[in-house]
Amino acid sequence: MRIWLLARVHLGPVAVLFVLTLSACLLVAGLPRATQAAYDEALRRALSATPAVQADLTVAVESRSPEEDLHERAQFDSRDRLWREILPGELRPLVTGAGHMSAKTTLTPITGTGGKSYLNLGWLSDGERRVDWVRGRAPGAPATMRYEGKTIPVFEVGIVEEALREMGLGVGQTKMVGEHDYAAVTIVGAYRAKDPGDRYWSHNADLLHVSKIQPPGGLDFEKHITALTSDAGLTVLSGEGRNLTYRWVLPIATGAANALDVPGLRAAVAEFDRVVALQSNGTASPYHVETGLPKVLGDFLAALSTAQTVMYLVLGGLLAVALGVIVLAVQLLADRLDHALTLARARGGSLRQVAGAAAALTGLAVVPGALAGYALSYLVPGPVLPVVHVGPVIVVLAAVGFAAVRLALAHRRPLHERRDDVAAARPSAKRVTLEVLVVVLALVGAYLLRARGLSASAGQDPFLLVVPVALTAAAALITLRCYPYPLRLFVRVAARGRAAVAFLGLTRAARARSASVLPVLILLPALAVSVFAAVISDGIAGTQRLASWQQVGAPIRMISDIEIPATAIEQVRRTPGVAQVVPAQTGRVQVGYGAERAEAIAVDVAQWRSILGDAPVGLPSLPDGALVSPELRGRGTLELGWQSRLKLPTRGVIDSVPGFYATGKFLVVPLSVQIRPAVNTLLIKGDASDATLTELARLVPSATVESQERALLAIRDDPLTGTVRSTLVVVTVALAAYALLAVVLSLVVGAADRARAVSFLRTLGLSHRQAQRLTVLEILPMILFTALAGLGLGLGLPAALGPGVDLSSYAGDLPVGDYSLDLFLPSALTAGLAAVAVLGAYAHTAISRRLSLGAVLRVGDLT
């Protein structure tokens, strides 16, 4: 057959099929690339935000005897090369060449301090180029001295500036360290880090800051600092009598991370730890790998799994709906070809020729469209996944296969004769049983998913992916089987009236089930997935807002390490854009007279509540007494040590204090209980613009200024969060468009039969206006019932999936459970579909009015 001639004759359906195929292939190939690119960016951000001491791979070993000591840099270098040689292949792209090595002692007390001050010794392979000496000089070679009848080493060390002030040390001092195996430490210089924000210092924070540790049951803090010694000092640093640990740091290159490699990376880290341990022959202490990378990857994988689940659901629904619309367009083309293929079959054409002609003409439309969509998908940044290649192939095969099979079945006998009976055949008992089984299994699956939660195994839980599909199929079956029954009630009511239009229109709508199956199978999942996406997106947005308020606790929060002067508070009050300032004092208080401690905030709760306004967080009123956490409940009157001894009755129990405390022991007290409040926190209501926040930070340099708006932006700025929400929006819009196209195509597909029926009735006296009403009554009921079913399924899916979709990773780590029933978007979609159906009906009758009744009645009449 002449395919090009058929394409020119049926150019309209061919063009529609081309455009639909192009859009479907662009979506199915482009969206996965965009989402995967966002997953990769999210992993890189997660690794960058994680302290290097947790993200990097660190090989460590303890030296417990002189035989295990390393005194030369070459010994460290040889082991560094060994660790890089035995790295598993999955880790090699992530490990950069810029690492460093260290030797440090721990828990080295300063003699005579009773275990209150510790001065550890540390050597860094690149320490000299990481610091600037601000006082004294760099440490040199060690010496010896006699102490208590023994010769002990004297280490020259440098110490960070902060330790001079915090621990009462000074350049030129010599301190004895140890309790049994003594050593002398001479402080010859003080240094400052060249770049304190460098990730390098995450591994060596003990050389940059004084650590304060409160031992269990103790009231005083221990102070720890590590001093920097030279390469010469390494030659006499020994693990005999000291807690000495050697480390080789292999930094992770966050920019090379790939989300697809995460499962393999976790296994590779475990394998690296195993292989490193095998190198411990001849040592009393085994080599081991210190890293938090598996936990970081595990947390990311949990968040990624949820994102992928949501993406699979919505993208799978989008693909199904797109295929349904394409199939509907193929059906339109097949109907246009029916007359020509019937003649060809009657004149001796084989079934293979008929099916081949249909497949060739369909392929002529869909193959260029698929290639164009596939090519355009490469404009979307992101890695090329298998679905990018497979998706367009599935679309083409589905379209061509449907065209060939449908026309082969329709023309399996020459001069086939079709009956257009309005009465539908009763379904068989087997079919009814199968449909009931599908509905029951879907409901049982939804119940089991809520009852058991997700599978603990790695990867996607197939149960979670099957249940939504089963629920959609069940809803479609129920809609197809049940929608005629309420219509028949309306038919009975209409039969009692004198007007025939309502009776005829509703009767045709109630009986035309076989012709309406495909539109239902398209409209119902389209509406269900789009409503589900809209509900999920709204739930995430609401929980993100709640999380931002819980993180900050006020429109603007200012927290200082020291007391904020009264003059500075007044300047803050007079700052343009500031409407109200609530002072507060935070601190750690003594509960009772023992070692029990709790976090506390003293504030005027009434003023705090006034600046919160309509925020989704709040506190109960507190005229006096204290609000306590659940761990402090049942104490009655609390005795607190905070500036002075306080006795406060318990006035309520709160689970959290917005912006401050969420776990542990904490309490809220009125600011008036303090004799002289030492205000270190300001809760501010006003303009949260960057200019205002910058001015507030300038007025109180010791304070950290945060705003609820910035916290919300930070939550939304996460790549995974942005990807989930943007994909939901794109899918919602695409599905709405496909739903509208399905309505239009269903109108066009049934246009010939509808025109024939209307023409028969017009010969009996049916007016043009009555014909319009008749067409609307025939089309609108199925669309409305399907829209309502899709609306109900979309609103019910979040609750049905239950714990299977944990979206807390995208909402500030708060569980997303408040799926409010905002019916604006679903109602708009339903109204849009109904409007398109009505307009299509009117347009159809307007076009039919121009045709001759005789011409219409002869269309398709072969006998």
Side-chain angles (χ1 to χ4, degrees), residues 193-212:
K194 291 184 177 180
D195 184 7
D198 194 319
R199 289 176 61 84
Y200 171 92
W201 291 108
S202 173
H203 292 279
N204 304 294
D206 54 331
L207 283 97
L208 212 57
H209 300 287
V210 176
S211 300
K212 298 179 181 180

Side-chain angles (χ1 to χ4, degrees), residues 138-153:
T144 59
M145 64 175 290
R146 298 289 295 177
Y147 183 76
E148 294 187 353
K150 296 182 179 179
T151 301
I152 63 173

Side-chain angles (χ1 to χ4, degrees), residues 468 471-473 475 524-525 528 531-532 788-798:
L471 288 174
T472 304
L524 194 142
V531 171
F532 170 75
L788 291 175
L791 172 63
L793 179 61
L795 294 175
L797 273 178

Side-chain angles (χ1 to χ4, degrees), residues 36-58:
Q36 189 60 44
Y39 297 159
D40 294 343
E41 178 62 22
L43 175 60
R44 292 160 191 161
R45 286 200 187 184
L47 291 175
S48 298
T50 302
V53 69
Q54 298 180 26
D56 295 341
L57 301 175
T58 302

Side-chain angles (χ1 to χ4, degrees), residues 99 199 206 246 249 281 357 364 464 522 567 682 745 757:
R199 289 176 61 84
D206 54 331
Y246 301 124
V249 177
N281 295 332
L364 188 63
L464 179 62
I522 297 171
T567 55
L682 298 179
L745 288 175

Side-chain angles (χ1 to χ4, degrees), residues 438-479:
V438 171
V439 174
V440 172
L441 290 178
L443 295 176
V444 171
Y447 170 77
L448 292 177
L449 182 61
R450 288 188 58 84
R452 77 174 181 90
L454 286 178
S455 172
S457 60
Q460 292 296 319
D461 186 352
F463 201 64
L464 179 62
L465 302 177
V466 170
V467 168
V469 176
L471 288 174
T472 304
L477 291 175
I478 293 173
T479 303

Side-chain angles (χ1 to χ4, degrees), residues 495-572:
R496 298 178 182 177
R498 299 181 61 184
V501 173
F503 173 76
L504 291 174
L506 293 175
T507 300
R508 286 178 58 83
R511 294 183 178 181
R513 290 164 54 183
S514 60
S516 304
V517 170
L518 193 54
V520 170
L521 295 179
I522 297 171
L523 288 177
L524 194 142
L527 285 170
V529 175
S530 60
V531 171
F532 170 75
V535 171
I536 289 292
S537 182
D538 288 343
I540 292 175
T543 310
Q544 285 176 340
R545 181 170 178 267
L546 173 62
S548 66
W549 278 102
Q550 288 194 352
Q551 287 180 12
V552 181
I556 303 173
R557 184 186 65 182
M558 177 184 291
I559 299 180
S560 174
D561 295 333
I562 59 177
E563 182 179 355
I564 302 176
T567 55
I569 297 176
E570 288 303 317
Q571 289 178 332
V572 170

